[in-house]
């Protein structure tokens, strides 16, 4: 008979939610996990960088023949208009089987579920191998001192994961319906067209930056990047802002700024898209005799973990617990899996994500228990 009390993932989620860990603040969230994992025999270390706290934990001997990893984050986005919340955003209050609070969905419940599953697993059936848990406080922010710092720590200290599961919310509507095996790349490009200010009644004396900017935005937005690939939807480009800061109707402004966001599949790379954009900029610059400055930020390249043993094992555990056969998908935004993929094969599976980043973010309590059961099943199957 078991001699330990299983970790309640709902209680653990509530404790984490009550820490107002809006990036880059931690407010004690990682300390809670450090204590839990240390007490269960995990070797824990801090991989802090740039004012961000990051927790690395390993159960089992370093260099074991098999190492299963979990990755997640405890930082959350701001609450927005707190007056619009019907429940305290950091109260973790439960009503009618639903827990409310910032981070309940994205992704403190996921972290709580895999931490609880891992602790119970090593206490009940110590595996022949190791379990790594890597948790960051910088996923919702710039993401430069979070999982990247954890991976750097692992590289410098001889630590590794053979495979990794990221506990992000992956299911659009129904628990168990989707596993992410890859993600589209993401990049943002900012533009500044510099013309010459003048009176709108004498346009020939000015050089209006708006027509070249509008033409450039039209050329970019109307261009079909691709039609999709075997595992990815069609790439998209969205114009997200155009601005002159000009309140006067009788003044031609001196400059205009704009930005586009591109979500791209494996047809492209950040470099190839940057080269295409530069070609378009050169054409507009020459046609309108204006100066155009660009600033490119590539948040992540597209990647895929091809369907195989890892995705099949996770899908089997999900179906065994939920009765739902999950779709293998690459939809959605970016996640820290884009960094982990350079270290080892990685997939993502977690909760229904409908309320993430919203006012009154919430999670069903039974889904937290269900998620822990799925993660426990994955560990059993991996180390079987």
């Amino acid at each position: 008979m078991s001699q330990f009390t299983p970790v309640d993932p709902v209680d653990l989620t509530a404790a984490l939610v009550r820490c107002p860990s809006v990036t880059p603040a931690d407010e004690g969230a990682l300390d809670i996990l450090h204590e839990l994992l240390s007490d269960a025999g995990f070797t824990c270390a801090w991989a802090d960088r740039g004012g961000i706290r990051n927790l690395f934990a390993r159960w089992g001997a370093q260099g074991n023949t098999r190492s299963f990893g979990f990755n997640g984050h405890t930082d959350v986005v701001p609450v927005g208009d707190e007056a619009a919340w019907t429940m305290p955003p950091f109260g973790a209050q439960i009503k009618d089987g639903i827990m409310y609070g910032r981070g309940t969905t994205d992704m403190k419940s996921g972290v709580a579920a895999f931490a609880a599953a891992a602790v119970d697993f090593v206490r009940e059936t110590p595996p022949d191998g190791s379990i790594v848990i890597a948790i960051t406080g910088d996923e919702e922010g710039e993401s430069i001192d979070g999982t990247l710092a954890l991976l750097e720590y692992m590289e410098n200290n001889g630590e590794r994961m053979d495979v990794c599961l990221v506990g992000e919310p992956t299911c659009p509507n129904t628990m168990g319906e989707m596993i992410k095996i890859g993600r589209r790349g993401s990049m943002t490009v900012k533009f500044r067209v510099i013309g010459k200010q003048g009176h709108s009644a004498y346009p020939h004396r000015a050089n209006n930056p708006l027509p070249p900017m509008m033409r450039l935005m039209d050329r970019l937005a109307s261009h079909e990047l691709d039609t999709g690939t075997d595992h990815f939807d069609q790439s998209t480009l969205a114009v997200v802002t155009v601005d002159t800061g000009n309140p006067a109707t009788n003044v031609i402004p001196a400059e205009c700024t704009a930005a586009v966001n591109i979500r791209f599949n494996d047809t492209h790379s950040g470099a190839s898209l940057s080269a295409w954009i530069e070609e378009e900029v050169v054409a507009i610059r020459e046609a309108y005799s204006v100066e155009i400055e660009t600033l490119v930020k590539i948040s992540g390249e597209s990647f895929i973990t091809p369907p195989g043993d890892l995705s099949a094992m996770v899908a089997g555990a999900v179906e065994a617990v939920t009765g739902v056969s999950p779709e293998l998908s690459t939809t959605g935004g970016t996640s820290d899996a884009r960094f982990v993929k350079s270290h080892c094969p990685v997939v993502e599976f977690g909760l229904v994500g409908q309320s993430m980043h919203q006012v009154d973010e919430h999670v069903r309590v039974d889904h937290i228990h269900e998620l822990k059961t799925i993660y426990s099943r994955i560990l059993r199957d991996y180390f079987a």
Side-chain angles (χ1 to χ4, degrees):
M1 181 175 293
S2 174
Q3 299 300 311
F4 69 92
T5 301
V7 178
D8 187 332
V10 175
D11 288 346
L12 182 55
T13 298
L16 295 175
V17 170
R18 293 185 185 112
C19 300
S21 52
V22 178
T23 318
D26 173 64
E27 302 298 337
L30 287 173
D31 290 321
I32 292 171
L33 294 163
H34 184 281
E35 182 178 0
L36 172 72
L37 295 168
S38 296
D39 289 348
F42 282 76
T43 298
C44 295
W46 296 107
D48 300 351
R49 191 172 77 183
I52 299 294
R53 301 193 78 195
N54 301 296
L55 177 63
F56 173 85
R58 170 180 39 81
W59 188 94
Q62 187 179 39
N64 267 336
T65 55
R66 291 183 294 176
S67 179
F68 189 95
F70 287 105
N71 171 257
H73 65 92
T74 51
D75 63 315
V76 298
V77 298
V79 301
D81 181 7
E82 188 168 349
W85 287 68
T86 63
M87 295 286 191
F90 297 109
Q93 293 186 8
I94 297 174
K95 181 180 179 180
D96 299 328
I98 295 175
M99 181 188 295
Y100 292 84
R102 177 60 83 223
T104 48
T105 297
D106 187 14
M107 60 166 288
K108 289 182 174 179
S109 49
V111 170
F114 68 59
V119 167
D120 287 359
F121 183 68
V122 300
R123 284 173 168 169
E124 187 171 38
T125 53
D128 179 18
S130 60
I131 297 174
V132 167
I133 294 179
I135 308 172
T136 178
D138 183 33
E139 196 272 351
E140 300 290 6
E142 290 296 320
S143 301
I144 59 176
D145 291 314
T147 293
L148 284 173
L150 283 160
L151 293 171
E152 181 181 42
Y153 169 86
M154 293 175 67
E155 177 70 21
N156 292 340
N157 291 275
E159 301 285 0
R160 65 178 178 82
M161 302 178 288
D162 290 325
V163 296
C164 183
L165 191 154
V166 178
E168 287 281 358
T170 58
C171 301
N173 301 294
T174 304
M175 187 65 177
E177 69 180 316
M178 186 174 289
I179 296 170
K180 299 291 178 69
I181 60 171
R183 293 277 188 164
R184 294 181 297 173
S186 175
M187 63 186 291
T188 297
V189 187
K190 296 180 179 179
F191 305 89
R192 180 172 175 243
V193 176
I194 303 170
K196 181 181 178 182
Q197 183 173 323
H199 198 298
S200 60
Y202 305 96
H204 59 286
R205 296 177 180 173
N207 190 359
N208 195 335
L210 280 165
M213 181 66 86
M214 294 166 68
R215 180 60 177 146
L216 177 59
M217 292 299 101
D218 177 62
R219 286 173 67 101
L220 296 179
S222 61
H223 178 75
E224 183 179 75
L225 292 169
D226 56 71
T227 58
T229 66
D230 288 345
H231 294 290
F232 288 90
D233 291 337
Q234 184 175 4
S235 299
T236 61
L237 182 149
V239 178
V240 294
T241 184
V242 178
D243 185 44
T244 66
N246 178 27
T249 59
N250 62 346
V251 175
I252 292 172
E255 62 181 56
C256 179
T257 60
V260 302
N261 182 258
I262 307 173
R263 302 300 172 116
F264 57 95
N265 60 34
D266 52 354
T267 303
H268 312 279
S269 67
S272 68
L273 288 168
S274 296
W276 163 64
I277 287 172
E278 183 58 26
E279 291 176 0
E280 297 290 340
V281 166
V282 169
I284 296 297
R285 181 186 292 135
E286 293 177 351
Y288 289 87
S289 299
V290 291
E291 182 181 348
I292 304 178
E293 299 175 350
T294 60
L295 178 63
V296 178
K297 180 180 179 181
I298 301 170
S299 300
E301 301 286 349
S302 66
F303 74 93
I304 187 168
T305 299
D309 291 343
L310 177 58
S311 56
M313 179 185 67
V314 175
V318 171
E319 186 169 10
V321 175
T322 67
V324 177
S325 179
E327 172 189 358
L328 303 183
S329 173
T330 58
T331 57
T334 58
S335 75
D336 277 0
R338 71 188 189 273
F339 306 130
V340 179
K341 57 89 176 174
S342 299
H343 178 89
C344 67
V346 57
V347 299
E348 302 172 61
F349 178 75
L351 295 165
V352 175
Q354 286 182 335
S355 70
M356 56 183 175
H357 294 200
Q358 295 182 5
V359 168
D360 280 344
E361 181 179 350
H362 59 272
V363 62
R364 283 175 47 178
V365 167
D366 62 319
H367 281 179
I368 302 175
H369 287 295
E370 200 169 21
L371 187 60
K372 178 191 174 182
T373 302
I374 292 169
Y375 290 155
S376 298
R377 176 70 177 252
I378 291 170
L379 287 172
R380 288 198 303 272
D381 291 347
Y382 181 78
F383 289 106

